[in-house]
Amino acid sequence: MEIRVLRYFLAVAREQSISGAAQALHLSQPTLSRQLMDMEQKFGKQLFIRGNKRITLTEDGMLFRRRAEEIIDLVDKTEAEITATDDSISGDIYIGAGETEVMRHLAKIAKDIQNDYPDIHYHIFSGNAEIVMERLDKGLIDFGLLLDANDASKYNYVELPSTDIFGILMKKDSPFADREAISFNDLKKMPLIVSAQPHYHAPEKQVKKILDSLNIVATYNLIYNASLLVEEGLGYALCLDRLIKITDESPLCFVPLESQYEIKPYVAWKKNQVFSKASDLFLKRLCEAFGNNQKA
């Protein structure tokens, strides 16, 4: 399968139109249509549903789109690394991360590097641990910011000094807002909004004990969206601290769980990873800042 044809497929999937994709690719419509038909015949699968006004993807087409995007991302990343000039350090650094205030440590390193090497550019991919590790394993990102020791154990990694604390994001007029900490018995009384990522549900052993008694009204992937549900009174969000900026004017507040359950963050990378000059520089700066905590 030629990379060129993958780009054709992605253009049609994006434009949902042969004519729109042909125009964007500077191809004739018959040429593009023939390429797509040849692709479907090669796989023996229908990838597109051709309607009167637009083209949509079949289930096989959606799977192929995901894989094609991964292949193109990796090709583009590799080309950028290979064509980087030898006389100066430039290029792209790819970082995957979950939502955490700890990302600020990496932001500071990136800013320090930018002062010395302004031609280095950063690409941040946000997602849960499963997605970040998948992209790390496939070489689509250079570094992954993970929040669980088990997730980081199969990689080389640096442990960061900060910690995240579990607690409840709630409205300031909530009857629980004046508590110093939230107990597990309190959780049973709350309509809860929890992360779709399992280990974000709070300390797993404790939560599993009372899971059947919890009233989970919604799940979330990004905490900002969950905070809007909290503001509108849908429930209480179980999350990590410092993800939502809380000021005197904010309608929300954060109360930690009673036992101060903490999460240790890690910056991980594949073992035996061959880095570009830009990524290698980032790793060196990372280890200079936190190298005492490096694990192989």
Side-chain angles (χ1 to χ4, degrees):
M1 176 63 62
E2 296 182 38
I3 298 300
R4 168 179 56 86
V5 178
L6 292 182
R7 295 188 190 276
Y8 292 171
F9 169 83
L10 291 175
V12 175
R14 181 177 60 251
E15 299 291 337
Q16 297 184 331
S17 162
I18 293 288
S19 60
Q23 184 175 1
L25 295 167
H26 305 291
L27 292 173
S28 68
Q29 291 188 41
T31 297
L32 182 55
S33 295
R34 186 171 60 254
Q35 293 281 358
L36 298 179
M37 292 177 63
D38 289 345
M39 179 189 297
E40 289 179 313
Q41 289 177 359
K42 177 178 180 179
F43 290 129
K45 298 280 188 177
Q46 182 180 354
L47 302 177
F48 297 100
I49 299 173
R50 294 162 174 82
N52 292 330
K53 294 186 177 180
R54 66 172 186 166
I55 289 178
T56 57
L57 295 177
T58 63
E59 185 174 343
D60 288 322
M62 288 187 284
L63 173 61
F64 187 69
R65 178 179 187 173
R66 179 181 175 186
R67 299 305 183 208
E69 287 173 339
E70 291 174 350
I71 292 169
I72 294 300
D73 285 347
L74 186 57
V75 168
D76 291 344
K77 181 175 181 291
T78 302
E79 287 180 350
E81 292 171 351
I82 296 298
T83 57
T85 58
D86 294 330
D87 54 350
S88 65
I89 299 180
S90 61
D92 301 280
I93 298 173
Y94 296 81
I95 301 173
E99 289 186 295
T100 169
E101 172 70 13
V102 177
M103 185 67 188
R104 191 177 297 276
H105 287 302
L106 305 191
K108 289 179 179 178
I109 292 174
K111 176 57 180 174
D112 289 341
I113 292 175
Q114 184 189 57
N115 292 336
D116 299 326
Y117 303 95
D119 292 328
I120 291 179
H121 305 284
Y122 298 87
H123 305 274
I124 309 301
F125 175 85
S126 297
N128 63 28
E130 181 180 356
I131 297 174
V132 169
M133 288 190 294
E134 180 183 353
R135 296 182 73 85
L136 197 59
D137 291 340
K138 292 179 177 179
L140 299 174
I141 57 176
D142 301 307
F143 304 98
L145 179 56
L146 303 172
L147 302 178
D148 188 280
N150 292 327
D151 293 339
S153 61
K154 70 175 183 177
Y155 305 106
N156 293 333
Y157 63 87
V158 169
E159 181 180 322
L160 300 182
S162 301
T163 57
D164 285 317
I165 298 174
F166 277 112
I168 302 295
L169 186 69
M170 65 182 73
K171 297 179 70 173
K172 285 181 178 177
D173 60 3
S174 161
F176 298 95
D178 60 351
R179 302 284 183 88
E180 291 185 3
I182 299 296
S183 70
F184 281 100
N185 282 332
D186 292 331
L187 292 182
K188 297 178 183 179
K189 306 171 186 176
M190 299 176 178
L192 288 175
I193 303 168
V194 301
S195 171
Q197 184 173 343
H199 77 252
Y200 265 28
H201 287 180
E204 290 187 7
K205 292 182 180 179
Q206 288 78 4
V207 168
K208 286 178 180 177
K209 293 178 181 178
I210 61 171
L211 188 60
D212 291 339
S213 61
L214 295 180
N215 177 22
I216 298 176
V217 298
T219 63
Y220 67 87
N221 184 35
L222 298 177
I223 187 59
Y224 176 75
N225 290 334
S227 73
L228 299 182
L229 300 182
V230 175
E231 284 190 31
E232 293 302 319
L234 183 67
Y236 297 73
L238 182 57
C239 63
L240 299 177
D241 65 332
R242 300 178 296 170
L243 294 182
I244 297 297
K245 187 174 183 180
I246 295 175
T247 64
D248 292 338
E249 293 75 26
S250 171
L252 304 179
C253 65
F254 179 89
V255 182
L257 294 183
E258 61 180 357
S259 296
Q260 291 290 302
Y261 294 101
E262 297 180 346
I263 292 292
K264 295 291 294 183
Y266 305 83
V267 178
W269 60 96
K270 289 175 63 177
K271 294 182 178 180
N272 302 315
Q273 173 75 25
V274 178
F275 284 120
S276 66
K277 289 184 177 181
S279 297
D280 189 54
L281 175 63
F282 186 89
L283 178 59
K284 288 179 180 177
R285 295 288 180 94
L286 179 71
C287 291
E288 287 172 2
F290 310 111
N292 291 335
N293 301 319
Q294 183 175 352
K295 305 292 183 182

